[in-house]
């Protein structure tokens, strides 16, 4: 086993490490089909070999060529480290700066097999959310970080470490861009080629920005979504005995089972990949597993009758499950489901993100690589059946929403009946969860704020939990609006129950949804606790890119913006630049994430709190911008709640001056002006 010291020494070349190939017993990414021409294959190989000196290129060339033809990408399996991949305590990293050590801690967490979906292919979640494009990039990045000073910045081009460049102590230590392809060439087909060439990468959201905290992050978002769906669609606070049906138990979607248990409902989650079910069951996130639809229906009825809390994993295709629920409705008149969604990786439907109901898992994987056109045909046929079953159930008191995974978008492209009469191109028969459930939360500045205790000590996490709870309780005591109080109370409940639900997978991390005031206050309290020694090591602040300001995505985060700007990416780009200017330790900007390549621009940050006054100043300034940017944008787009919040923030901060929109007092003025 290599040590952290060896890990930071750069690529091991003399001697070359043993080529152990793909590991057995570990989930692997589906075979990619980039359809390269002979000249493009040569270019891909040439690009990979430029990481290595001439004396080893001949040996590696044959090896890399085989990987390219067998797997559709050059991962450089020979250089996959033998060290146990996990987030080690920050003091164990041989670095010249604490910031660099914190970044290493985060990178290794993203590649921890307990966390990552396909660890050997450097995929953290979402089927193709890469941390790096190949293992040479990992080794070089770790080496650069170990050498970096406070007057250098590491620049990352889509997984490739361009190098260390002179900067200043106030500048970011790391700047990441992923998938920044010229818009006219940002198509799915072009992406497959460019990824195979090793020149761009799909970083999803927090995979390529090194800020993933395991499925806990999406657990909390799913908890809030299901709770608020119950309030909106069913008119209830207590979901006991209510049934939530969905699909996916992977890197992100695996959260659904735990979320169902936390909110107290009955969750039935379909998953075609048995290894994903086994992983979640062993973690205690799935209570029961079955491969029998008959048993599914029996347990569902039993749990409804007894009002049990249940998370049941069905090993099979979700289309079979939906069609069985339709059969039960048609033959017995009994509607067995109340709420439904989907979390397959439908942003990547033809490369392992969505498996067609007509084939077994292994048959689908084989056809995917041997005959992509036939596979695509079956996927689209399956999507049509999928939607048809949901449409039948929706004729009764059943409510479905799109979870921002491009499910309805891909269903529409497949010819499924998802059209909404008189709607704009961002709207479908069923709403995005942002449009109906989470949109108002974003407009008030609430979003997925998170932190990681780099000591790796659960006690440090417990201290931060207490601090965060105290901050929110004080805010309520000082007086807040009813809508804000409801959000704070949901999050206080979340933190208090977090330990009981065993949410930590990988690094010692926590997530909660908070507004600008809450985020700043929590950051200051944590920084002061580090200064006093109550917390033993630095804490990394971050957030999901899926947040108030971080993402421009017309089919998800900005789907409730109706002034025509939902397809514009100024907000996300400005956020990336603004965070860098205001003290972020690192920043990232990505093409793709959630909804898919070419459909979204998103960004994120990491901010290291080390107990110093400088860290507190950076947190105050950067977090304020990181929230108010998106609230101001939503205000300008005409959202009344965002208008109210931004006006209140301007009253409290004389440095904030925002252009406010005027309403058109009389719509007839517009109509008259446009008459022929």
């Amino acid at each position: 086993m290599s040590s952290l010291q060896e890990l930071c020494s750069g690529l091991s070349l003399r001697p070359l490490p043993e080529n152990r190939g793909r590991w057995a017993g570990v989930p692997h990414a589906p075979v990619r089909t980039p359809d390269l021409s002979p000249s493009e294959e040569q270019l891909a190989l040439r690009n990979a070999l430029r990481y290595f000196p001439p004396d080893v290129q001949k040996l590696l060339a044959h090896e890399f060529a085989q990987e390219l033809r067998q797997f559709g990408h050059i991962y450089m399996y020979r250089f996959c480290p033998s060290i146990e991949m996990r987030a080690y305590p920050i003091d164990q990293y041989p670095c010249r700066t604490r910031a660099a050590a914190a970044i290493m801690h985060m990178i290794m967490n993203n590649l921890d097999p307990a966390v990552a979906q396909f660890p050997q292919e450097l995929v953290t979640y979402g089927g193709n959310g890469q941390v790096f494009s190949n293992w040479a990039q990992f080794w070089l990045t770790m080496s650069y970080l170990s050498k970096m000073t406070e007057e250098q910045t590491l620049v990352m081009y889509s997984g490739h470490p361009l190098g260390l460049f002179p900067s200043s102590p106030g500048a970011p230590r790391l700047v990441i861009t992923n998938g920044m392809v010229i818009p006219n060439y940002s198509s799915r087909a072009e992406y497959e080629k460019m990824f195979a060439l090793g020149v761009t990468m799909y970083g999803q959201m927090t995979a390529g920005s090194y800020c993933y905290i395991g499925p806990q992050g999406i657990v909390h978002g799913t908890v809030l979504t299901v709770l608020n769906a119950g309030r909106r669609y069913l008119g209830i606070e207590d979901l006991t005995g209510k049934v939530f049906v969905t699909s996916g138990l992977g890197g992100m979607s695996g959260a659904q089972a735990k979320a169902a248990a936390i909110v107290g409902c009955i969750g039935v989650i379909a998953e075609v990949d048995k290894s994903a079910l086994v992983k979640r069951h062993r973690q205690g996130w799935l209570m029961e597993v079955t491969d029998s639809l008959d048993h599914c229906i029996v347990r569902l009825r039993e749990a409804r009758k007894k009002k049990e809390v249940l998370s049941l994993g069905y090993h099979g295709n979700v289309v079979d499950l939906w069609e069985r629920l339709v059969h039960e409705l048609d033959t017995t008149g009994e509607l067995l489901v109340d709420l439904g969604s989907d979390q397959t990786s439908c942003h990547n439907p033809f490369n392992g993100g969505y498996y067609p109901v007509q084939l077994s898992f292994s048959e689908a994987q084989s056809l995917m690589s041997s005959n992509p056109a036939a596979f695509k045909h079956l996927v689209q046929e399956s999507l049509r059946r999928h939607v048809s079953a949901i449409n039948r159930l929706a004729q009764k008191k059943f409510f479905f929403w799109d979870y921002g995974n491009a499910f309805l978008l891909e269903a529409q492209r497949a010819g499924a009946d998802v059209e909404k009469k008189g709607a704009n191109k961002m709207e479908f028969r069923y709403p995005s969860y942002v449009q109906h459930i989470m949109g108002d939360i974003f407009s008030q500045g609430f979003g997925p704020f998170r932190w990681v205790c780099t000591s790796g000590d659960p006690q440090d996490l417990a201290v931060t939990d207490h601090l965060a709870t105290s901050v929110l309780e004080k805010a309520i005591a000082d007086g807040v609006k009813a809508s804000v109080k409801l959000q704070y109370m949901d999050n206080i409940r979340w933190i208090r129950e977090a330990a009981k639900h065993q949410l930590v997978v990988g690094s010692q991390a926590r997530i909660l949804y908070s507004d600008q005031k809450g985020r700043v206050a929590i950051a200051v309290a944590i920084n002061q606790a580090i200064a006093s020694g109550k917390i033993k090591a630095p804490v990394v602040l971050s957030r999901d890119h899926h947040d108030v300001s971080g993402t421009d995505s017309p089919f998800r985060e900005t789907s409730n913006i109706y002034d025509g700007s939902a397809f514009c990416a100024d907000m996300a780009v400005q956020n990336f630049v603004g965070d860098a200017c205001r003290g972020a330790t690192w920043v990232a900007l990505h093409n793709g994430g959630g909804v898919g390549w070419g459909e979204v621009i998103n960004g994120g940050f990491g901010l290291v709190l080390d107990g110093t006054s400088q860290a507190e100043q950076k947190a105050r300034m950067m977090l304020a911008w990181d929230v108010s940017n998106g609230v101001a944008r939503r205000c300008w787009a005409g959202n009344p709640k965002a208008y109210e919040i931004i006006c209140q923030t301007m009253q409290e901060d004389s440095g904030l001056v925002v252009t406010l929109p005027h309403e058109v007092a009389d719509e007839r003025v517009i109509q008259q002006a446009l008459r022929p």
Side-chain angles (χ1 to χ4, degrees):
M1 178 183 291
S2 56
S3 66
L4 288 175
Q5 186 70 49
E6 291 170 1
L7 206 61
C8 298
S9 62
L11 275 167
S12 177
L13 299 173
R14 296 174 183 84
L16 287 171
E18 177 189 358
N19 183 10
R20 295 174 295 151
R22 277 191 167 194
W23 299 336
V26 174
H28 288 287
V31 173
R32 311 189 74 91
T33 53
D35 193 26
L36 299 182
S37 67
S39 62
E40 287 170 335
E41 286 187 327
Q42 292 176 26
L43 183 56
L45 199 53
R46 188 178 298 113
N47 287 346
L49 290 173
R50 60 186 167 178
Y51 286 103
F52 303 92
D55 61 313
V56 297
Q57 288 179 357
K58 185 175 181 180
L59 171 64
L60 295 178
H62 291 283
E63 200 171 287
F64 292 169
Q66 184 179 7
E67 282 188 25
L68 181 63
R69 288 175 171 168
Q70 188 173 354
F71 306 119
H73 188 73
I74 301 171
Y75 296 105
M76 305 184 185
Y77 289 116
R78 176 188 288 272
F79 296 95
C80 186
S82 59
I83 192 171
E84 180 187 357
M85 192 68 72
R86 62 182 177 86
Y88 290 85
I90 189 171
D91 290 336
Q92 294 185 23
Y93 291 97
C95 294
R96 300 172 72 178
T97 71
R98 299 283 263 179
I103 295 166
M104 287 179 159
H105 180 93
M106 302 289 280
I107 288 173
M108 293 189 74
N109 185 69
N110 271 25
L111 294 170
D112 181 342
V115 173
Q117 185 179 14
F118 305 126
Q120 237 193 327
E121 287 76 43
L122 303 110
V123 172
T124 300
Y125 70 90
N128 58 350
Q130 303 283 149
V131 186
F132 299 99
S133 180
N134 59 59
W135 284 106
Q137 293 173 348
F138 168 82
W139 283 93
L140 288 172
T141 299
M142 298 297 277
S143 177
Y144 281 137
L145 287 169
S146 71
K147 297 170 184 174
M148 185 170 66
T149 71
E150 293 285 0
E151 295 186 338
Q152 290 175 304
T153 293
L154 176 58
V155 176
M156 302 293 298
Y157 279 17
S158 291
H160 169 66
L162 190 66
L164 293 168
F165 291 80
S167 60
S168 67
R173 299 279 67 80
L174 174 66
V175 176
I176 303 166
T177 52
N178 283 311
M180 293 291 105
V181 173
I182 305 301
N184 281 354
Y185 304 92
S186 189
S187 67
R188 190 174 284 159
E190 289 290 341
Y191 167 72
E192 290 297 334
K193 284 182 179 289
M194 286 187 277
F195 180 59
L197 293 175
V199 296
T200 197
M201 187 180 88
Y202 186 73
Q204 266 284 0
M205 290 190 163
T206 52
S209 66
Y210 319 147
C211 292
Y212 190 63
I213 59 167
Q216 177 190 169
I218 191 64
V219 170
H220 187 37
T222 307
V223 165
L224 291 180
T225 299
V226 177
L227 278 176
N228 285 299
R231 291 164 179 159
R232 181 179 181 107
Y233 299 135
L234 305 178
I236 57 175
E237 290 284 336
D238 184 0
L239 288 168
T240 303
K242 299 301 180 183
V243 177
F244 172 50
V245 171
T246 184
S247 58
L249 286 165
M252 294 288 279
S253 55
Q256 297 179 108
K258 178 59 77 174
I262 292 174
V263 303
C265 71
I266 300 159
V268 184
I269 306 98
E271 171 59 64
V272 294
D273 184 354
K274 187 173 183 179
S275 66
L277 276 98
V278 170
K279 184 175 184 177
R280 298 304 174 206
H281 192 230
R282 286 176 178 169
Q283 287 174 340
W285 287 37
L286 259 183
M287 297 163 71
E288 298 178 20
V289 173
T290 182
D291 59 4
S292 165
L293 272 177
D294 289 340
H295 182 70
C296 252
I297 299 303
V298 168
R299 277 298 284 131
L300 200 160
R301 282 198 167 100
E302 185 178 64
R304 289 180 81 213
K305 183 177 180 180
K306 295 180 179 179
K307 295 189 180 298
E308 290 181 62
V309 175
L310 175 66
S311 59
L312 174 63
Y314 166 58
H315 180 212
N317 197 291
V318 71
V319 178
D320 285 328
L321 178 58
W322 284 119
E323 290 180 341
R324 178 60 182 269
L325 290 168
V326 169
H327 173 76
E328 295 298 321
L329 174 63
D330 289 342
T331 56
T332 69
E334 187 178 11
L335 179 67
L336 294 175
V337 56
D338 303 284
L339 300 170
S341 191
D342 182 88
Q343 276 201 43
T344 54
S345 294
C346 224
H347 67 276
N348 185 36
F350 312 123
N351 284 285
Y354 183 95
Y355 283 80
V357 66
Q358 306 93 324
L359 302 174
S360 69
F361 183 60
S362 59
E363 288 171 341
Q365 287 195 313
S366 176
L367 186 66
M368 192 190 311
S369 58
S370 65
N371 192 337
F375 182 77
K376 179 178 179 178
H377 174 78
L378 291 180
V379 164
Q380 293 190 320
E381 182 183 286
S382 185
L383 282 166
R384 292 193 293 271
R385 284 175 57 180
H386 197 151
V387 168
S388 179
I390 290 168
N391 289 348
R392 172 68 183 96
L393 295 168
Q395 293 172 9
K396 303 297 181 181
K397 196 180 178 183
F398 159 71
F399 301 92
F400 182 89
W401 66 88
D402 184 287
Y403 220 121
N405 59 337
F407 172 70
L408 291 178
L409 180 62
E410 289 300 333
Q412 180 192 53
R413 290 168 175 167
D417 182 12
V418 295
E419 299 296 330
K420 179 181 178 182
K421 291 183 179 179
N424 63 43
K425 59 183 177 181
M426 297 181 300
E427 294 182 296
F428 299 101
R429 184 174 192 155
Y430 305 103
S432 154
Y433 76 117
V434 172
Q435 289 171 320
H436 268 207
I437 302 171
M438 302 297 279
D440 282 345
I441 294 177
F442 283 166
S443 298
Q444 295 177 78
F446 279 86
F449 180 56
R450 57 179 60 165
W451 59 88
V452 176
C453 297
T454 64
S455 65
D457 188 343
Q459 183 55 40
D460 276 355
L461 184 59
V463 173
T464 65
D465 282 349
H466 174 72
L467 290 171
T469 303
S470 299
V471 163
L472 298 184
E473 287 175 336
K474 183 179 185 302
I476 291 172
D478 290 344
V480 292
K481 289 171 51 185
S483 58
V484 173
K485 181 179 178 180
L486 178 64
Q487 297 303 325
Y488 280 170
M489 292 300 295
D490 281 347
N491 281 281
I492 289 169
R493 172 187 167 191
W494 161 263
I495 296 174
R496 284 178 174 162
E497 295 183 358
K500 177 178 75 175
H501 290 293
Q502 300 174 300
L503 293 167
V504 171
V505 178
S507 58
Q508 293 294 317
R510 184 68 71 230
I511 184 172
L512 57 77
Y513 269 59
S514 185
D515 58 358
Q516 179 178 324
K517 281 186 179 178
R519 297 185 203 206
V520 172
I522 290 169
V524 170
I526 290 175
N527 195 61
Q528 291 174 351
I530 296 168
S532 68
K534 292 180 182 177
I535 296 174
K536 293 181 282 298
V539 171
V540 174
L541 298 183
S542 185
R543 58 162 169 74
D544 196 344
H545 297 198
H546 164 69
D547 196 15
V548 181
S549 308
T551 298
D552 282 296
S553 178
F555 296 101
R556 194 163 81 172
E557 285 81 357
T558 49
S559 61
N560 65 335
I561 288 180
Y562 303 110
D563 69 345
S565 70
F567 290 86
C568 301
D570 300 81
M571 179 178 72
V573 175
Q574 287 281 1
N575 221 68
F576 165 79
V577 175
D579 285 351
C581 294
R582 290 170 174 83
T585 308
W586 73 94
V587 289
L589 187 67
H590 298 183
N591 172 7
V595 182
W597 181 264
E599 305 284 357
V600 50
I601 297 293
N602 65 88
F605 73 87
L607 175 61
V608 177
L609 298 179
D610 59 7
T612 62
S613 59
Q614 292 91 338
E616 179 176 324
Q617 182 182 11
K618 289 177 179 179
R620 288 182 182 277
M621 185 173 293
M622 200 221 73
L623 292 174
W625 156 256
D626 196 66
V627 175
S628 61
N629 172 36
V631 178
R633 188 266 179 93
R634 285 169 166 78
C635 165
W636 183 247
N639 185 288
K641 289 189 176 180
Y643 184 97
E644 184 180 342
I645 293 295
I646 209 69
C647 287
Q648 179 183 337
T649 307
M650 282 197 290
Q651 289 177 355
E652 297 168 354
D653 184 354
S654 60
L656 178 67
V657 183
V658 171
T659 305
L660 299 175
H662 295 284
E663 286 189 35
V664 175
D666 188 347
E667 285 291 328
R668 289 175 298 179
V669 171
I670 295 175
Q671 294 167 9
Q672 290 169 2
L674 292 174
R675 282 178 183 166

